[in-house]
């Protein structure tokens, strides 16, 4: 079988070279659960893992949103690529020569073509900016500024930092020489249209350039720090087909492995903060793109970590941003801690002043719990030297404590408040109880019993033990599961059932399996799923492949018999309807003949 111009042997080699758990693990934090790996689904919002990877069968499946397939399908879903594009991506990563022709251009949509061109232009621009920083005399002030901020050659190289000269058309001319369309480059965020005349100019001028990458490490945008006087101090790329501020985090592609390994992500505010934190040994740090943390950011990070440490600036704006980020992170399921930086310093300034080790030990490792930070932050809005101020603070503090889910945590926090302010613990407990009753703050459960943990599916409820489908439907699914695992079983089913599956999709899968084995393929679920090239069938095949009931000849015969009985039942129903119609029309002879056929079928069914 051949997809476009891609040889089947290339697809097979791509599947052989890519262990699905390693590829998925680049995007999702997976934990071992028996012979499965589980994690938070990257395709829908959830707090409790319903996403499963089965290394033995080289497939993934989410019980929440239903997506499933092999490693090629995963890359297609994650990156929005066509089948040929995903195969090419995986082939490139594995060092498999891309010898087929025109597969990607013929298959790509206009939007995908635009994305590819803009991404290539960003890679070229990043290299050009970096070259100019390192080699042009005009870039000396930029180089001196970076050194003054503690960024030597290793960090400049590692982070790909560059420089955009003051000229209006440096990048414009360079992109034109490479044959890129100016209009496309403006849409991609690299150029700007002239305001007073026709033509285009560089979007970034006289700026230190920080390349921004996607999850695969490809350059998709820039942040530019202005060297001269003027505004804005930092200028980001606009929203484009490649770049979304609400979903992109600076250096996540590099920090992901450290985040996954430690189970912790450190959230910083700026590019320099991330770089200086990296130099201090904090390799699990990321930053938002000049915008506030969003629920989408939190959901992306929650795939890799259980704990979030907020390390924002120590000034009022930074602390207010931390306060706003806490509920977003907790709603995503994080344990949250917050760093306390002294003297209104930012992380970059602290590392420069005190060094990497104190920053790691005293600031990051010494971060306080979210509720402790909220109580500290609350003090700023109350005058505690006055009795009235202390009372108002206590009431607000108890309200914060009341919202904590853990009774033990509430008890400990109320004890601390009681001791500090000389108030009876029972009084604070009563106040806390009344707040919880008034606001109906019951301890939430992550997934209500019997409902999918799927925010995007509207949290449709279902019984804890959902009713099974018709017996013949379950029998068909079980038979297909065994067929995927064993060629001889598929041959037996082909002889005894053929295409007599009652569910249309099951019949289609059976037909694909017969053809798959007819080409002398060995059982391989991942490879079989690649043959399907149909979203619905891929999902159904992935679900069926997850069925884990041991094979037995007797069990197979029972399933085939159940499917056969269903055929008899349907035929009996059809004949009964036809007999009733004959009786209504007064055709007694026809009705008698149909009755004889019905009796014969009933006897066969009982046998």
């Amino acid at each position: 079988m051949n997809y476009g111009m891609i040889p089947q042997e290339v697809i097979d080699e791509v599947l052989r070279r890519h262990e699905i758990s390693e590829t998925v693990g680049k995007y999702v934090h997976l934990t071992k659960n028996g012979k499965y790996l589980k994690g938070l689904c990257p395709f829908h919002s959830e707090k409790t893992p319903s996403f499963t990877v089965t290394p033995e069968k080289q497939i993934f499946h989410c019980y929440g949103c239903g997506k499933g397939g092999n490693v090629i399908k995963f890359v297609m879903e994650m990156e929005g690529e066509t089948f040929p594009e995903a195969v090419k991506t995986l082939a490139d990563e594995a060092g498999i020569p891309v010898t087929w022709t025109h597969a990607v251009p013929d298959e790509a949509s206009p939007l995908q073509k635009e994305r590819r061109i803009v991404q290539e232009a960003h890679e070229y621009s990043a290299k050009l900016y970096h070259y100019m920083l390192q080699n042009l005399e005009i870039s000396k002030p930029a180089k001196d500024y970076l050194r003054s901020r503690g960024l030597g050659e290793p960090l400049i190289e590692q982070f790909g930092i560059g420089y955009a000269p003051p000229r209006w058309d440096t990048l414009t001319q360079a992109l034109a020489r490479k044959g890129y369309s100016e209009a496309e480059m403006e849409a991609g965020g690299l150029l700007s249209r002239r305001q007073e005349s026709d033509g285009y100019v560089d979007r970034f001028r006289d700026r230190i350039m920080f390349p921004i990458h996607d999850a695969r490490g490809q350059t998709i945008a820039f942040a530019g720090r202005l060297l001269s006087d003027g505004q804005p101090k930092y200028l980001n790329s606009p929203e484009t087909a490649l770049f979304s501020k609400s979903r992109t985090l600076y250096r996540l592609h590099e920090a992901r492995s450290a985040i996954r390994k430690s189970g912790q992500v450190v959230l910083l505010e700026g590019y320099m903060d991330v770089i200086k934190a990296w130099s201090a040994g904090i390799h699990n740090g990321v930053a938002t793109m000049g915008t506030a943390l969003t629920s989408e950011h939190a959901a992306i990070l929650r795939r890799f970590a259980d704990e979030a440490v907020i390390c924002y600036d120590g000034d009022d704006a930074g602390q207010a941003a931390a306060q706003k980020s806490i509920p977003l992170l907790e709603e995503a399921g994080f344990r949250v801690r917050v760093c306390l930086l002294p003297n209104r310093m930012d992380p970059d300034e602290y590392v420069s002043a005190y060094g990497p080790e104190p920053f790691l030990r005293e600031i990051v490792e010494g971060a306080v719990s979210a509720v402790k930070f909220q109580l500290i932050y609350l003090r700023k809005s109350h005058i505690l030297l006055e009795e009235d101020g202390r009372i108002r603070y206590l009431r607000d503090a108890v309200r914060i404590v009341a919202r904590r889910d853990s009774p033990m945590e509430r008890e400990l926090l109320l004890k601390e408040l009681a001791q500090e302010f000389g108030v009876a613990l029972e009084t604070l407990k009563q106040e806390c109880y009344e707040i919880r009753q008034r606001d109906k703050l019951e301890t939430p459960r992550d997934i209500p019993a019997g409902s999918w943990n799927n925010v995007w599916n509207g949290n449709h409820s279902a019984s804890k033990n959902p009713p099974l489908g018709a017996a013949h439907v379950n029998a068909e699914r079980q038979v297909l599961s065994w067929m995927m695992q064993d060629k001889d079983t598929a041959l037996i089913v082909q002889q005894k059932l053929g295409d007599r599956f009652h569910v249309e999709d099951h019949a289609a899968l059976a037909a694909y399996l017969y053809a798959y084995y007819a080409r002398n393929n060995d059982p391989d679920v991942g490879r079989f799923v690649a043959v399907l090239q149909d979203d619905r069938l891929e999902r159904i095949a992935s679900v069926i492949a997850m069925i884990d009931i041991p094979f037995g000849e007797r069990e197979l015969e029972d399933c085939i018999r159940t499917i056969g009985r269903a055929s008899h039942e349907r035929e009996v129903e059809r004949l009964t309807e036809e007999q009733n119609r004959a009786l209504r029309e007064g055709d007694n002879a026809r009705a008698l003949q149909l009755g004889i056929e019905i009796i014969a079928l009933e006897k066969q069914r009982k046998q």
Side-chain angles (χ1 to χ4, degrees):
M1 184 166 288
N2 191 297
Y3 303 105
M5 303 295 289
I6 308 177
Q8 180 63 48
E9 56 268 24
V10 172
I11 296 170
D12 293 343
E13 186 66 8
V14 162
L15 292 170
R16 190 181 70 80
R17 295 268 199 102
H18 286 275
E19 165 59 45
I20 192 168
S21 58
E22 293 180 4
T23 300
V24 174
K26 294 176 183 177
Y27 300 84
V28 181
H29 175 55
L30 297 171
T31 56
K32 193 163 180 58
N33 185 8
K35 60 183 179 181
Y36 305 106
L37 298 169
K38 296 196 75 175
L40 292 170
C41 180
F43 306 120
H44 79 281
S45 176
E46 64 178 8
K47 296 181 186 177
T48 299
S50 60
F51 179 85
T52 303
V53 174
T54 312
E56 178 186 356
K57 298 175 181 177
Q58 289 296 294
I59 58 171
F60 73 93
H61 177 69
C62 176
Y63 289 97
C65 66
K67 289 188 184 294
N70 59 15
V71 68
I72 298 173
K73 184 65 175 180
F74 181 81
V75 172
M76 289 171 64
E77 293 282 0
M78 284 302 302
E79 301 298 338
E81 295 181 339
T82 62
F83 184 88
E85 286 176 321
V87 172
K88 182 180 183 300
T89 295
L90 292 167
D92 288 340
E93 289 179 6
I96 300 170
V98 178
T99 54
W100 66 91
T101 58
H102 305 302
V104 173
D106 288 348
E107 296 281 348
S109 67
L111 177 60
Q112 288 161 343
K113 290 178 182 178
E114 178 191 344
R115 285 169 59 93
R116 186 170 63 251
I117 290 169
V118 172
Q119 199 280 311
E120 288 172 358
H122 273 83
E123 292 289 352
Y124 170 74
S125 301
K127 291 175 182 175
L128 180 64
Y129 287 140
H130 183 67
Y131 174 84
M132 290 191 287
L133 175 69
Q134 298 290 60
N135 295 280
L136 299 187
E137 183 63 27
I138 197 173
S139 303
K140 188 175 182 301
K143 205 75 172 288
D144 291 341
Y145 171 81
L146 290 170
R147 290 196 187 99
S148 73
R149 297 291 299 270
L151 273 65
E153 287 299 325
L155 287 175
I156 289 173
E157 286 293 332
Q158 186 167 17
F159 285 81
I161 300 171
Y163 177 65
R167 275 184 51 179
W168 288 76
D169 60 355
T170 304
L171 184 63
T172 303
Q173 290 191 15
L175 291 171
R177 285 194 296 271
K178 298 290 286 185
Y180 290 108
S181 157
E182 289 182 327
E184 286 183 342
M185 295 302 97
E186 186 216 4
L190 292 171
L191 304 181
S192 297
R193 187 182 293 272
R194 289 182 182 273
Q195 294 182 350
E196 298 178 359
S197 61
D198 294 336
Y200 298 86
V201 296
D202 295 2
R203 177 178 178 83
F204 299 98
R205 300 182 301 278
D206 194 26
R207 291 180 182 273
I208 294 172
M209 301 298 290
F210 299 90
I212 298 166
H213 305 85
D214 63 12
R216 289 159 54 192
Q218 297 178 322
T219 307
I220 58 170
F222 290 97
R225 201 274 185 197
L226 189 63
L227 270 187
S228 55
D229 294 334
Q231 291 295 328
K233 180 179 174 183
Y234 275 97
L235 178 66
N236 288 333
S237 293
E239 299 272 322
T240 68
L242 292 179
F243 176 52
S244 169
K245 293 180 184 178
S246 64
R247 293 187 54 81
T248 307
L249 290 144
Y250 181 59
R251 297 302 285 182
L252 178 60
H253 72 290
E254 286 286 354
R256 189 168 49 208
S257 60
I259 294 170
R260 188 185 297 112
K261 186 175 181 180
S262 64
Q264 178 195 80
V265 59
V266 178
L267 285 166
L268 299 124
E269 282 192 278
Y271 309 101
M272 290 296 292
D273 291 337
V274 172
I275 296 171
K276 293 297 283 292
W278 182 281
S279 72
I282 298 168
H283 295 172
N284 56 336
V286 298
T288 52
M289 303 287 102
T291 184
L293 186 79
T294 67
S295 57
E296 290 169 291
H297 289 137
I300 290 167
L301 291 171
R302 184 64 181 87
R303 300 174 197 163
F304 311 111
D306 303 315
E307 181 178 80
V309 177
I310 301 172
C311 191
Y312 289 172
D313 295 356
D315 59 13
D316 293 342
Q319 298 302 283
Q323 174 79 345
K324 290 178 181 177
S325 298
I326 289 171
L328 277 175
L329 293 165
E330 289 188 329
E331 179 63 25
F334 279 105
R335 296 189 308 275
V336 182
R337 294 192 296 132
V338 184
C339 297
L340 301 177
L341 283 145
N343 305 321
R344 303 170 66 85
M345 300 175 84
D346 61 37
D348 173 22
E349 292 169 335
Y350 190 95
V351 173
S352 298
Y354 299 104
E357 191 175 330
F359 178 70
L360 176 61
R361 184 181 64 253
E362 297 175 16
I363 302 302
V364 177
E365 292 179 357
V368 301
S369 69
V371 67
K372 280 287 184 68
F373 172 79
Q374 288 173 318
L375 293 173
I376 293 169
Y377 186 80
L378 181 64
R379 288 172 179 264
K380 297 179 181 180
S381 58
H382 294 280
I383 303 173
L384 299 184
L385 294 175
E386 298 176 358
E387 183 178 352
D388 201 36
R390 289 196 298 273
I391 292 171
R392 282 199 296 271
Y393 169 77
L394 272 173
R395 282 179 176 159
D396 290 343
V398 173
R399 190 169 289 109
I400 289 172
V401 174
R403 280 171 164 72
R404 308 309 294 178
D405 293 335
S406 166
M408 184 181 297
E409 185 182 15
R410 292 198 299 269
E411 173 101 8
L412 290 172
L413 290 167
L414 292 175
K415 274 185 180 178
E416 290 181 12
L417 288 170
Q419 290 171 1
E420 181 180 359
F421 289 91
V423 179
L425 176 59
E426 290 306 316
T427 302
L428 296 183
K429 280 186 175 181
Q430 180 62 30
E431 181 88 6
C432 183
Y433 173 77
E434 290 174 2
I435 290 170
R436 288 180 66 80
Q437 288 296 108
R438 185 169 61 249
D439 296 345
K440 296 182 180 179
L441 289 170
E442 298 174 359
T443 302
R445 296 195 314 182
D446 202 4
I447 302 182
S451 70
W452 288 116
N453 180 35
N454 185 350
V455 174
W456 290 2
N457 285 351
N459 292 320
H460 298 305
S461 61
S463 61
K464 190 166 186 178
N465 296 304
L468 295 175
H472 69 273
V473 175
N474 291 322
E476 288 180 2
R477 289 159 66 91
Q478 182 58 72
V479 166
L480 287 167
S481 173
W482 287 329
M483 290 170 68
M484 288 184 199
Q485 300 171 49
D486 184 71
K487 184 175 184 177
D488 292 336
T489 300
L491 293 175
I492 292 170
V493 175
Q494 187 174 12
Q495 292 167 5
K496 295 194 174 186
L497 279 179
D499 63 353
R500 296 194 306 278
F501 285 78
H502 301 284
V503 178
E504 185 179 339
D505 288 334
H506 293 175
L509 286 176
Y512 272 110
L513 279 165
Y514 299 150
Y516 176 79
Y517 288 126
R519 292 191 298 272
N520 294 318
N521 290 315
D522 293 324
D524 185 326
V525 175
R527 189 180 181 201
F528 171 67
V529 169
V531 168
L532 300 174
Q533 287 291 282
D534 179 278
D535 283 346
R536 188 178 70 256
L537 289 182
E538 286 175 1
R539 292 189 183 197
I540 294 170
S542 300
V543 173
I544 290 172
M546 300 293 288
I547 297 172
D548 195 17
I549 297 176
F551 172 80
E553 291 183 6
R554 185 173 178 178
E555 287 77 7
L556 176 62
E557 287 296 330
D558 287 343
C559 286
I560 291 174
R561 194 177 301 113
T562 298
I563 297 167
R565 274 201 302 267
S567 296
H568 281 102
E569 289 168 2
R570 285 194 172 186
E571 183 63 12
V572 167
E573 288 176 5
R574 187 187 68 79
L575 291 174
T576 301
E577 286 181 11
E578 196 172 332
Q579 184 187 42
N580 291 334
R581 190 182 309 113
L583 288 170
R584 285 194 302 272
E585 294 171 354
D587 189 348
N588 294 329
R590 175 63 178 156
L592 179 61
Q593 178 60 39
L594 289 168
I596 293 170
E597 292 180 24
I598 290 169
I599 292 169
L601 279 172
E602 289 285 8
K603 284 182 179 179
Q604 288 180 24
R605 186 173 66 83
K606 289 177 182 177
Q607 291 172 356

